[in-house]
Amino acid sequence: MAIVVDPGEHHDLWLALLREQLPDEEFVHPDDDVDPATVQFVISWKHPTERILGYPNLRALLLASAGFDHLDPAVMAAVPVVRLIDPAMADDIALYCLSWVIHFQRDFDRFASDQPTATWSRPAPRFPRDYTVGVLGHGAIGSVVLETCAQHGFRTVGWSRSNHDRSYDEFFEASDVVVNLLPLDESTHHAIAAEELAALGDGVLINVGRGGTVDTGALLAALDGRMRAAVLDVFTTEPLPADDPLWAHPKVTITPHIAGRTDPTTSVPVIVESIVDLRAGRRPAGLVER
Ligand code: GLV
């Protein structure tokens, strides 16, 4: 019985770590000559749909990513999917967010734009206790982002559909910075649009969730107005096309989907635990509800 390993990058490291941690399992490369009927698990980010559907005895797809919106619905319907919930990745994303929160709270963007004109301007300080970080999406990663900002003294407010103490508009009104971690599905498509950005006012949006949750036209319009800045790590189309107006907007910072990188050293033990759980008939922590 085989486990196909197709993580997209660092393939040899993944294989070495998996073989070391589960020496009794047979891990194979997707291009190895393997009988599809023997494949029980696939570890992958983007293993081709037709291959997944061609393994008649597949028990689960173990993702090397937290998100699963890229999967073909036919895959979701055919096989249990386990998303990657790696605490080290959540910490990494939290530090990315915290560094940008501090960037704006300390006015580093304003000093950078003052420097070319040799302008010595000292705005009134905003201390962390006066600066509100709104975290949208309160799952395994969102809660770590919120806690990390709170530990550094920031005022925090979380919002998720099932857990909120104010309306959606009030959440945006209360936030100086909104960190978006929403996953993409039908209910979150363009969840941040003109109305929400109007409520955010002169605030900042940091998007580390999924590009499709933000209405880009509305974002550009808000940035042409009062909105202070947007830091975007995720996009509807990735890589972001060279002619996309987001690249050239002076209030936009673009990073190439690097807020949370999958690190095999920390991810493999999480995936190993899922395999052990599945073999023992237990429900793995990252099992996606269908
Ligand atoms: C990255 O965006 C992931 O889903 O892990």
Side-chain angles (χ1 to χ4, degrees):
M1 284 304 178
I3 301 180
V4 172
V5 183
D6 184 15
E9 55 183 6
H10 309 305
H11 194 264
D12 291 344
L13 180 56
W14 276 83
L15 272 180
L17 290 166
L18 285 162
R19 285 180 178 146
E20 182 188 294
Q21 291 174 42
L22 286 178
D24 294 335
E25 298 280 1
E26 189 198 350
F27 294 101
V28 297
H29 188 278
D31 296 332
D32 286 350
D33 185 18
V34 56
D35 174 0
T38 64
V39 175
Q40 280 199 323
F41 298 106
V42 172
I43 299 172
S44 119
W45 180 43
K46 286 191 173 168
H47 197 56
T49 296
E50 52 295 352
R51 286 220 191 173
I52 295 177
L53 299 179
Y55 302 129
N57 298 311
L58 190 64
R59 289 180 54 186
L61 170 62
L62 302 154
L63 287 176
S65 64
F68 54 90
D69 52 285
H70 59 285
L71 292 181
D72 192 313
V75 169
M76 296 290 291
V79 64
V81 173
V82 182
R83 57 190 283 257
L84 178 64
I85 303 182
D86 177 354
M89 190 202 274
D91 285 340
D92 207 32
I93 294 174
L95 290 183
Y96 173 100
C97 297
L98 178 65
S99 66
W100 283 111
V101 165
I102 293 171
H103 179 86
F104 295 106
Q105 173 253 333
R106 298 303 301 259
D107 291 311
F108 293 154
D109 57 333
R110 294 186 170 133
F111 302 140
S113 62
D114 284 348
Q115 190 162 336
T117 51
T119 302
W120 181 280
S121 162
R122 300 175 79 229
R126 300 277 304 274
F127 296 105
R129 63 176 176 276
D130 308 319
Y131 203 71
T132 303
V133 182
V135 178
L136 184 55
H138 217 177
I141 299 173
S143 50
V144 176
V145 172
L146 193 134
E147 266 166 41
T148 302
C149 292
Q151 276 163 6
H152 287 79
F154 287 95
R155 211 158 47 192
T156 53
V157 35
W159 203 98
S160 70
R161 220 168 339 179
S162 58
N163 185 4
H164 53 264
D165 61 358
R166 62 195 78 206
S167 74
Y168 192 50
D169 266 9
E170 283 164 351
F171 163 80
F172 281 88
E173 270 163 27
S175 302
D176 291 300
V177 176
V178 166
V179 176
N180 176 36
L181 283 142
L182 289 177
L184 181 63
D185 59 31
E186 276 166 18
S187 69
T188 60
H189 179 255
H190 286 191
I192 301 177
E195 196 179 322
E196 292 73 31
L197 295 168
L200 183 60
D202 61 358
V204 175
L205 175 68
I206 299 174
N207 190 10
V208 289
R210 283 293 181 260
T213 62
V214 177
D215 176 344
T216 307
L219 176 64
L220 286 164
L223 289 164
D224 286 338
R226 286 177 68 208
M227 192 175 165
R228 180 168 172 185
V231 176
L232 307 174
D233 187 55
V234 286
F235 305 89
T236 307
T237 304
E238 295 182 9
L240 183 63
D243 60 354
D244 193 293
L246 287 169
W247 281 112
H249 200 288
K251 292 185 181 174
V252 173
T253 300
I254 287 169
T255 58
H257 204 138
I258 49 74
R261 310 296 291 264
T262 302
D263 174 1
T265 307
T266 57
S267 298
V268 164
V270 175
I271 290 177
V272 162
E273 201 175 317
S274 298
I275 294 172
V276 171
D277 281 344
L278 286 160
R279 288 248 183 263
R282 289 188 299 265
R283 193 192 148 81
L287 188 69
V288 174
E289 298 291 344
R290 286 194 281 176

